Amino acid sequence: MTLPASALDQCLESFTAADGNHVKASTQKFDSTGVMALLCQHNRAIFLANMVTAGEKQFYAYTLIAALLHELPECWKVSLLYDVACALQQSLAKWQFMPGWLDRISFSVSIFHAYGHQWVCQLWYHPRKAELWGLSDGEGCERFWSELMRLIPCLRVSGVSILKWTCMY
């Protein structure tokens, strides 16, 4: 099923993180503008991607998914809860970016973010509509970031050399 373009556009407009023009950290002043994480269902980080552009561009999510699928047997299917999973799936279908991914991935939108989406998107992507999610809410990343918030002030103005030195100890 494909969502109407108008519904998809309204979903993307609902979230500032999905807006590539919304700049939270300057790429001229900072080496990194953020970190994107891929977590398992138990809210443990599996992969991290260092973001170096403004906004949560789709290629960061694709990179994390590619890293995960590379590690798993090809016969395994993956279920993905993501804030704008509707946009990821539609992009994969429209541009045929990664052949074979659509057969391996089941997309859903995390609970907290589902209500910011259009009604048709909620009907199709809400995790409570799929039996496999049980009571998982898909908000593990939000909890993960709240655990790491104390690191933000000291790392915010750190360049690559400071970050490398910090990670060594």
Side-chain angles (χ1 to χ4, degrees):
M1 180 191 143
T2 59
L3 293 177
S6 60
L8 185 61
D9 291 342
Q10 289 176 353
C11 285
L12 291 175
E13 289 172 8
S14 299
F15 301 99
T16 58
D19 180 7
N21 299 320
H22 184 79
V23 179
K24 290 185 181 178
S26 171
T27 56
Q28 295 173 349
K29 294 181 182 178
F30 303 107
D31 294 323
S32 300
T33 58
V35 176
M36 184 178 273
L38 181 111
L39 279 63
C40 71
Q41 187 174 3
H42 306 98
N43 300 331
R44 300 293 178 246
I46 299 173
F47 293 106
L48 298 171
N50 202 23
M51 296 170 51
V52 294
T53 61
E56 289 183 23
K57 306 271 194 250
Q58 287 185 355
F59 63 80
Y60 293 115
Y62 293 140
T63 301
L64 292 170
I65 294 167
L68 176 68
L69 293 178
H70 178 74
E71 296 295 324
L72 299 176
E74 288 189 27
C75 61
W76 285 22
K77 295 193 181 240
V78 175
S79 297
L80 179 74
L81 277 167
Y82 183 55
D83 301 348
V84 285
C86 54
L88 283 181
Q89 185 177 21
Q90 296 299 319
S91 293
L92 286 173
K94 180 178 181 180
W95 303 107
Q96 299 173 352
F97 177 58
M98 290 297 216
W101 276 23
L102 289 174
D103 295 334
R104 292 188 67 188
I105 302 173
S106 169
F107 293 89
S108 293
V109 174
S110 52
I111 292 287
F112 177 76
H113 290 85
Y115 298 106
H117 287 262
Q118 296 301 303
W119 178 243
V120 67
C121 185
Q122 288 183 33
L123 289 174
W124 190 255
Y125 291 98
H126 200 289
R128 296 295 184 259
K129 304 289 182 194
E131 291 180 17
L132 67 105
W133 289 113
L135 295 176
S136 296
D137 61 5
E139 298 300 332
C141 275
E142 308 301 332
R143 290 186 279 281
F144 179 69
W145 299 129
S146 70
E147 292 289 324
L148 297 179
M149 278 181 29
R150 63 183 177 80
L151 297 175
I152 293 172
C154 62
L155 295 176
R156 181 166 298 211
V157 294
S158 299
V160 171
S161 60
I162 299 296
L163 289 173
K164 286 180 182 174
W165 182 81
T166 306
C167 292
M168 287 187 335
Y169 297 100

